[in-house]
């Protein structure tokens, strides 16, 4: 028996609305709540992504250990090249370190500098 159920993944960032707009467009999820310091996106199912204002946010520096990523989001896409072009057009930056291109994933940084991966199954 589970002790808990997933409620939210919360990302600290300097501009919650901007980051919510990015992930809303990337995932096709709806922005369901906007406050000055907190914005939520969801697909209507349990679990959601939330973006919390952190004025002193310092993005991780990956793969360095100085400010490690601690965790990242993986999303599934059908075509890496098409998804890369669309993701960069939304405001992501392709990370210079690409350890998994031959394994079917590419690493990007969202507009606040959090690493995430586009993956094909």
């Amino acid at each position: 028996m589970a002790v808990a159920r997933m409620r939210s993944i919360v990302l600290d960032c300097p501009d919650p609305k901007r980051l919510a707009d990015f992930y809303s467009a990337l995932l096709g999820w709806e922005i369901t709540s906007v406050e000055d310091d907190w914005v939520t996106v969801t697909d209507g199912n349990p679990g959601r992504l939330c973006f919390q204002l952190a004025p002193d946010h310092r993005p991780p520096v990956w793969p360095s250990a100085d400010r490690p990523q601690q965790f990242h989001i993986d999303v599934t896409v059908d075509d890496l090249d098409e998804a890369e072009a669309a993701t960069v057009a939304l405001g992501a930056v392709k990370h210079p370190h690409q350890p998994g291109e031959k394994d079917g994933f590419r690493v990007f940084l969202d507009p606040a500098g959090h690493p995430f991966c586009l993956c094909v199954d």
Side-chain angles (χ1 to χ4, degrees):
M1 177 194 308
V3 173
R5 295 175 305 284
M6 176 59 79
R7 177 183 170 100
S8 305
I9 295 173
V10 181
L11 297 175
D12 287 354
C13 59
D15 186 342
K17 179 66 167 72
R18 179 173 183 234
L19 201 55
D21 286 340
F22 172 80
Y23 279 101
S24 175
L26 180 72
L27 299 172
W29 289 13
E30 181 181 350
I31 294 176
T32 57
S33 173
V34 179
E35 299 172 27
D36 290 340
D37 60 352
W38 187 276
V39 181
T40 301
V41 300
T42 182
D43 68 350
N45 292 308
R48 60 194 182 173
L49 282 175
C50 302
F51 308 94
Q52 176 176 271
L53 178 63
D56 59 348
H57 173 71
R58 292 178 24 182
V61 179
W62 178 81
S64 169
D66 293 336
R67 286 197 324 259
Q69 67 178 334
Q70 299 178 10
F71 84 97
H72 67 275
I73 295 172
D74 288 346
V75 297
T76 301
V77 299
D78 295 323
D79 182 288
L80 276 173
D81 293 330
E82 289 178 15
E84 177 178 329
T87 300
V88 169
L90 291 172
V93 174
K94 188 173 182 180
H95 198 288
H97 183 66
Q98 293 295 323
E101 285 202 78
K102 69 177 186 286
D103 296 323
F105 70 91
R106 294 182 189 159
V107 182
F108 295 83
L109 301 175
D110 70 22
H114 302 106
F116 71 96
C117 297
L118 300 180
C119 308
V120 291
D121 287 334

